[in-house]
Amino acid sequence: MSGFRTGQFNREKISPFLRRFCPKQAVTSILEIHASDMVEGGKKLVMLDVDNTLLVWRSEDIPESTLKWIESMRAAGMQLCILSNTRNPGRLDRLAKAMGIPYYLGKFKPSTEMYERALKEFGVTAEQAIMIGDQVFTDILGANRTGIDAIWVKQMAPVDFIGTKVSRLGERMLRRKLYRAIMEEPVDGEDADLPVGGTAAFAMLSNPTVRQFIKFCIIGGTSMVVDLGIFYLLMFVMPMGDALMSERLGAWLVEQSNFFVGLATRENVFDPKLACVPFFKPISAGVAILNSFLWNRRWTFRIRGREHRSVQLRKFFAVALIGLILNTVITTGLGNVIPGHPKRSLFAGQLIATVVVAFWNFFGQKLWTFRGAKTH
Ligand SMILES: [Mg+2]
């Protein structure tokens, strides 16, 4: 694991997204962690990972240095326990007994389950505990999720379980980002061996606009379900007397004007329900846009309070309405231009329109509707 850096981290220096992976400190070996520092820091319980933290993965030999270190912790009054993701409970049991340390086997880290169980059973608070481990995505992330400080130890040997090898790759990608929080001057040329694609993916995910866009698209998906669901209910479920509401209303509409007769006739089949579409669609689309507005305001753009809410709502509707028109124009326009079977070209047109409109809506809402809004 080349390029591993040690030191204290200031988690406030990096984004909340990265912060959850960030240890409080990184060391080359547990031997650099001193019992006196633990006592001074008000720690009472040391939670330990086993493999590649206390001893080499798969090995049954506990290094003499590890045993001495454990003794020094005990002598200072520290309580110790092991949180393990092992797939070999027999070996863990032997090792734990040899070290005289109780262990937890449960929902795999980074689940908070084992951490919380240990806190409860040892009767200490999260602040009084510390987690020591060699893996960011299990040991460190789990500790941070439970509110426990974590010390990241350089893995003892470059041998790992195959699944761990995969997460090591992620760690390498993440490392450079985490090192921004380290409280020392960065070294030039660090991590020059990082895979470019992976680094780019992490850089993208740690970009707030990209994360906002992903949230925006997720909410867009739920709004589509809301839209289709309400439209379906209005058209095919809502009763009125002994018939469907859409049939009653449609029958009345076609009596009023030939325009509705035209709407209700499709490919020479007359169905009065279809005359209701111009009335039902705005209802379902309107509720869907309202759904998008509320969730995007709160979740994507993190705006709280009622200030400017009605102005924002009007702008949001305007952007969404233009998006709707764009969608129709692009879909029909491209449907006629893209060669191939009409159904397929319409589908391709719809796909392109969806992507274009997603960007239109996102940037419209971000840069106009919610521009300069106070976030929390
Ligand atoms: Mg480990």
Side-chain angles (χ1 to χ4, degrees):
M1 191 144 153
S2 64
F4 189 90
R5 289 180 55 196
T6 60
Q8 301 280 340
F9 289 72
N10 177 1
R11 283 185 240 153
E12 300 303 311
K13 273 179 153 176
I14 48 175
S15 70
F17 172 76
L18 289 166
R19 215 171 286 160
R20 69 194 76 178
F21 303 105
C22 188
K24 188 168 188 283
Q25 189 187 356
V27 294
T28 316
S29 143
I30 51 163
L31 306 181
E32 291 166 29
I33 304 165
H34 301 294
S36 54
D37 293 337
M38 298 289 105
V39 175
E40 263 174 46
K43 303 299 177 194
K44 291 188 169 158
L45 175 65
V46 179
M47 298 174 171
L48 293 160
D49 170 57
V50 173
D51 283 316
N52 278 331
T53 299
L54 295 179
L55 63 155
V56 173
W57 176 64
R58 263 189 169 165
S59 153
E60 297 259 351
D61 303 325
I62 305 162
E64 196 54 40
S65 54
T66 295
L67 289 171
K68 277 192 178 150
W69 179 84
I70 291 168
E71 257 334 293
S72 74
M73 285 287 160
R74 261 200 207 108
M78 297 307 259
Q79 292 180 289
L80 302 151
C81 70
I82 288 169
L83 311 188
S84 180
N85 281 3
T86 191
R87 280 149 292 263
N88 186 346
R91 172 176 164 268
L92 174 67
D93 190 65
R94 286 192 296 279
L95 291 169
K97 283 201 173 113
M99 293 185 278
I101 303 177
Y103 62 88
Y104 290 89
L105 269 172
K107 258 180 133 178
F108 278 14
K109 299 170 279 185
S111 161
T112 59
E113 195 242 33
M114 284 194 281
Y115 297 86
E116 277 163 1
R117 212 147 39 105
L119 288 181
K120 203 171 160 211
E121 286 175 21
F122 280 87
V124 299
T125 64
E127 292 75 30
Q128 291 169 330
I130 190 131
M131 173 72 201
I132 302 174
D134 69 309
Q135 283 192 59
V136 165
F137 295 111
T138 56
D139 305 318
I140 313 297
L141 177 59
N144 284 338
R145 292 181 65 202
T146 323
I148 296 170
D149 286 338
I151 301 180
W152 186 15
V153 186
K154 182 179 174 181
Q155 67 177 125
M156 287 181 94
V159 283
D160 270 320
F161 169 65
I162 177 76
T164 309
K165 280 192 192 301
V166 176
S167 84
R168 293 282 182 213
L169 200 70
E171 265 180 23
R172 284 158 68 89
M173 293 170 193
L174 195 59
R175 241 162 35 187
R176 186 160 56 177
K177 296 265 171 197
L178 293 180
Y179 288 159
R180 283 193 195 152
I182 220 162
M183 291 191 274
E184 283 170 357
E185 280 306 298
V187 180
D188 279 343
E190 192 70 49
D191 278 341
D193 57 346
L194 279 171
V196 174
T199 313
F202 259 109
M204 269 178 72
L205 265 183
S206 59
N207 179 323
T209 304
V210 172
R211 289 212 307 282
Q212 279 179 343
F213 185 70
I214 293 170
K215 287 179 176 179
F216 193 84
C217 290
I218 292 170
I219 293 169
T222 68
S223 290
M224 211 155 85
V225 174
V226 167
D227 185 357
L228 294 174
I230 291 175
F231 187 70
Y232 182 84
L233 286 177
L234 290 171
M235 284 291 278
F236 305 109
V237 179
M238 289 281 279
M240 188 184 259
D242 50 3
L244 285 175
M245 184 177 71
S246 55
E247 286 168 348
R248 287 276 169 105
L249 183 63
W252 181 78
L253 284 168
V254 294
E255 278 172 23
Q256 308 308 308
S257 156
N258 272 339
F259 169 74
F260 291 109
V261 177
L263 277 183
T265 311
R266 197 168 284 175
E267 288 168 10
N268 294 322
V269 180
F270 177 73
D271 182 351
K273 286 202 288 292
L274 294 174
C276 302
V277 172
F279 297 92
F280 291 167
K281 198 63 205 169
I283 295 174
S284 65
V287 177
I289 293 172
L290 192 65
N291 173 70
S292 280
F293 173 74
L294 294 172
W295 284 104
N296 277 312
R297 188 172 188 268
R298 195 184 171 89
W299 189 46
T300 311
F301 299 109
R302 294 171 162 268
I303 297 161
R304 293 284 151 93
R306 283 150 185 249
E307 211 186 337
H308 307 305
R309 194 170 57 175
S310 55
V311 181
Q312 287 166 353
L313 182 61
R314 278 200 292 275
K315 286 182 169 180
F316 195 94
F317 260 94
V319 171
L321 204 64
I322 295 170
L324 220 60
I325 295 167
L326 261 178
N327 196 328
T328 315
V329 170
I330 297 173
T331 305
T332 40
L334 286 181
N336 293 330
V337 172
I338 297 173
H341 189 274
K343 249 189 186 165
R344 242 203 293 166
S345 24
L346 201 68
F347 178 73
Q350 178 75 70
L351 204 69
I352 295 169
T354 304
V355 174
V356 172
V357 172
F359 278 99
W360 157 261
N361 276 335
F362 175 71
F363 286 105
Q365 307 300 11
K366 180 178 167 67
L367 302 176
W368 187 54
T369 308
F370 296 118
R371 187 185 177 164
K374 255 191 254 140
T375 58
H376 73 277

